[in-house]
Each structure stands twice: as C-alpha cells, then as structure tokens.
Amino acid sequence: MGLRAAGFVIYRVIRSRVEYLLLQTSYGIHHWTPPKGHVDPGESDLDTALRETEEESGLKKSDLKVLEGFQEILNYEVNGRPKTVTYWLAEIAHEGVEVKLSHEHQDYKWVPLDEACRLAGYSDMVDLLNKCENFILSSNKA
Ligand code: AMP
C-alpha cells in the first residue's frame, strides 16, 4: 500500500508581492515543505489538508481562502514506498494571523517564488510552486 497525504500551498500578498509559507521539518534532512500530512482512515483528502495545516501551522480553515479550481498531485517515493500528496492552494484570509509550529517543524518562512523554489529543492515541488504562482497571477488574486 502506498502512502497518501494532502496539504495546502499557502500564500499571502504583501504590497502586491506573493509570499509562500514553507515549514522546515525537524525530522529527516530538515527539508522545507508546505503543511501536509497523512490521510486518516475514512477522512477526505481535503479534510486531511485542513487538519494537518492547523496541526502543523496553527492556521485554521477560517484563516484561509481556498482557491477554486486548483488541485495538484505530487508522487514520490519514501523508503521505497510510493507516496501521493494532493495539494490545494489557499490565500491567507486576513491580516494578523500567526504561524504556530508543532514539534514536527523547527522553522518557517514566508518567501517569494524564487526563494520558495530554492528552499523546496525537489523539482516536482518547484513545478508545483510555479503552477501556483501562475494560477494566482492569472486569477488576479495578488
Ligand atoms: P515528506 O513527504 O515531506 O514528509 O518527506 C518524506 C521524505 O520524502 C523525506 O526524506 C523527504 O526528503 C522526501 N521528499 C519530500 N518531498 C519530496 C519530493 N517532492 N520529491 C522527492 N522526495 C521528497
């Protein structure tokens, strides 16, 4: 059985600049990732994405504006097992939201596309972030 996970690419707009939220794992190689996590039995992918986002970043459903029409899936292998991660895209809904990390992450950053791609590293994540940027700019959400 493969691993199934879901999460959100989260962004905010500050002075017309789009900034993405990335979390640095406290496990493994301390890579940077949007909030996401494993789907529990009986849970929908979107509910997982919301639950994991709140657990990992403190950001609740009411803190987010989920963009309609955007959904992307990443596939990679973890310890020889296929992992599928479904991502939605969400904008921070209002000012003054504070990120609160869990023990699973040790740092977070709000960064523009180029820095987000550099931090994320993995080419499929770079592609995903570029798709997000294009979607945001073409739907006038920035
Ligand atoms: P994660 O899925 O982020 O919890 O990471 C689990 C393992 O997969 C870690 O060893 C990561 O370095 C690796 N990993 C995370 N994202 C990717 C990706 N997009 N492509 C390939 N490997 C990844």
Side-chain angles (χ1 to χ4, degrees):
M1 260 290 279
L3 302 161
R4 200 162 125 224
F8 278 107
V9 174
I10 295 173
Y11 71 97
R12 67 182 185 185
V13 181
I14 295 207
R15 287 182 290 277
S16 300
R17 197 172 91 139
V18 180
E19 295 181 340
Y20 298 92
L21 175 64
L22 290 179
L23 315 178
Q24 185 181 34
T25 63
S26 41
Y27 59 90
I29 56 166
H30 307 298
H31 61 294
W32 293 82
T33 170
K36 52 112 169 54
H38 292 121
V39 178
D40 282 343
E43 189 178 44
S44 75
D45 287 12
L46 186 56
D47 283 343
T48 300
L50 289 165
R51 176 180 56 75
E52 289 283 349
T53 295
E54 183 166 355
E55 285 174 12
E56 295 187 344
S57 70
L59 300 172
K60 299 182 181 57
K61 190 176 181 181
S62 58
D63 297 323
L64 304 172
K65 280 188 283 184
V66 181
L67 272 69
E68 261 177 57
F70 188 97
Q71 186 184 348
E72 289 290 329
I73 295 172
L74 297 196
N75 289 290
Y76 50 94
E77 278 202 2
V78 181
N79 301 323
R81 290 172 79 191
K83 179 168 183 175
T84 298
V85 190
T86 301
Y87 280 105
W88 284 270
L89 177 59
E91 183 182 0
I92 289 294
H94 47 84
E95 278 181 31
V97 294
E98 247 187 72
V99 173
K100 291 189 193 77
L101 297 179
S102 73
H103 65 277
E104 288 181 69
H105 297 95
Q106 59 185 28
D107 198 7
Y108 72 89
K109 281 184 179 171
W110 291 100
V111 284
L113 180 66
D114 56 348
E115 174 76 355
C117 290
R118 202 183 60 73
L119 286 176
Y122 297 107
S123 63
D124 55 352
M125 181 56 73
V126 168
D127 288 347
L128 170 62
L129 290 166
N130 275 288
K131 283 181 186 167
C132 290
E133 183 91 358
N134 289 334
F135 194 89
I136 294 163
L137 297 181
S138 66
S139 55
N140 258 334
K141 295 282 186 187

